[in-house]
Amino acid sequence: MRILAVGDLIGESGLNKAKEIVKELKEKEKIDFIIVNGENVAEGMGITLKHFNNILSIGTDVVTMGNHTWAKKDIFTFINHEQLIRPANYPEGVPGKGYIICKCKDKKIGVINLIGRTEMGILTENPFVIGRKIAEEIKKEVDIIIVDFHAEATAEKVAMGNYLDGIATVVYGTHTHVQTSDDRILPRGTGYLTDIGMTGPKNSVIGMDIEASLKRFVTTLPERYKMAEGECIFNGCIFDINDETCKVDKINRIYL
């Protein structure tokens, strides 16, 4: 089983880059299952139905979200779509679902979306408690468990990887938009990567226009969010999972 996780899509340019790369990559690398983080695809914050359908059109199996889940009101019209999940540790009663179970070939894959609490600026339930509870509940039903942990702090992500080591098949991070090079298989067999990166404007500050971003940092004055333009990068990761053991054999980071 080969699973492709695609880093946060940033705006229309990121979506177009994904359209350009994913279908060809799927055929070339014989990808079986695709997960895309889509929480920044609508002008850098949120997602609309149009963008969601475009992400599905490239062969995506599951779309995950994060701290910008509710940035566009349109989300409430399709939040319960069977291929869309939002962080499972949002407060009880929030629309949508935090995990999904899919069939692929002769396997069942559980995908869990979680959001961190360190420097995220929103109140959520404990991702460690919620994440492990879900993983423990579904592990008898599924062959593979994938966790997209949308978090700011690298320490929180590393801690989550170790906390779910041996329970989840794969734990990877999203949100910081900068791909890390610490891919590894943890002691109990879980494949791990702190952040898979972003798919969006290359010459930017994590997708944002450089001048607008610098004005924020240099002057501390509020500056309207502005998407960067120009050449785009494609970030993601391929996880090779052994069909017999359902453990990760190999991790291949992608930076195009």
Side-chain angles (χ1 to χ4, degrees):
M1 178 78 70
R2 304 200 85 191
I3 294 177
L4 169 66
V6 180
D8 306 36
L9 299 189
I10 313 297
E12 289 282 350
S13 57
L15 177 59
N16 290 334
K17 189 68 174 179
K19 286 181 178 180
E20 174 190 330
I21 298 293
V22 170
K23 286 186 178 180
E24 180 180 343
L25 194 66
K26 182 177 182 178
E27 182 177 343
K28 179 182 177 182
E29 298 293 340
K30 296 180 171 55
I31 302 297
D32 300 299
F33 194 81
I34 300 172
I35 306 168
V36 175
N37 187 284
E39 71 130 23
N40 293 121
V41 71
E43 301 172 345
M45 289 186 183
I47 189 171
T48 67
L49 181 58
K50 178 183 176 181
H51 291 106
F52 177 68
N53 286 332
N54 276 326
I55 294 173
L56 295 185
S57 74
I58 62 176
T60 303
D61 295 284
V62 179
V63 177
T64 58
M65 297 295 287
N67 57 305
H68 295 309
T69 297
W70 318 112
K72 298 290 185 289
K73 291 182 180 180
D74 197 25
I75 185 71
F76 292 101
T77 67
F78 62 98
I79 187 63
N80 292 313
H81 191 284
E82 60 183 4
Q83 290 173 272
L84 177 67
I85 57 176
R86 46 80 176 153
N89 57 313
Y90 272 137
E92 187 175 349
V94 168
K97 56 189 177 297
Y99 72 94
I100 189 173
I101 296 175
C102 305
K103 291 183 179 179
C104 182
K105 291 187 171 179
D106 59 344
K107 304 291 184 185
K108 284 188 176 181
I109 302 173
V111 184
I112 304 171
N113 194 186
L114 297 170
I115 191 169
R117 295 194 297 181
T118 303
E119 299 295 329
M120 293 297 285
I122 55 175
L123 295 174
T124 61
E125 303 295 336
N126 190 314
F128 292 84
V129 173
I130 299 296
R132 187 157 185 163
K133 180 181 179 182
I134 294 171
E136 293 283 7
E137 286 177 353
I138 69 174
K139 69 178 184 180
K140 292 181 180 179
E141 183 181 351
V142 303
D143 304 288
I144 296 165
I145 296 175
I146 310 293
V147 178
D148 173 351
F149 188 30
H150 199 79
E152 178 73 24
T154 54
E156 192 177 17
K157 292 179 182 180
V158 173
M160 181 64 78
N162 283 279
Y163 189 63
L164 295 179
D165 186 18
I167 301 173
T169 311
V170 171
V171 176
Y172 65 82
T174 54
H175 178 67
T176 59
H177 298 187
V178 178
Q179 188 181 89
T180 56
S181 59
D182 61 336
D183 48 298
R184 60 191 184 275
I185 298 175
L186 298 173
R188 295 184 181 89
T190 294
Y192 176 81
L193 178 60
T194 295
D195 202 286
I196 60 174
M198 73 171 193
T199 297
K202 179 180 180 180
N203 296 313
S204 69
V205 177
I206 62 170
M208 186 177 179
D209 177 79
I210 292 174
E211 291 303 318
S213 183
L214 287 177
K215 189 172 181 180
R216 285 186 174 190
F217 284 111
V218 174
T219 69
T220 72
L221 295 173
E223 177 69 15
R224 185 174 181 177
Y225 185 92
K226 182 181 178 182
M227 286 284 303
E229 299 177 355
E231 181 185 3
C232 286
I233 57 172
F234 177 90
N235 283 179
C237 194
I238 297 173
F239 298 93
D240 285 2
I241 299 174
N242 188 291
D243 287 334
E244 294 183 5
T245 65
C246 291
K247 296 286 188 181
V248 176
D249 281 339
K250 184 180 178 182
I251 302 171
N252 179 27
R253 284 182 289 113
I254 302 170
Y255 189 111
L256 299 173

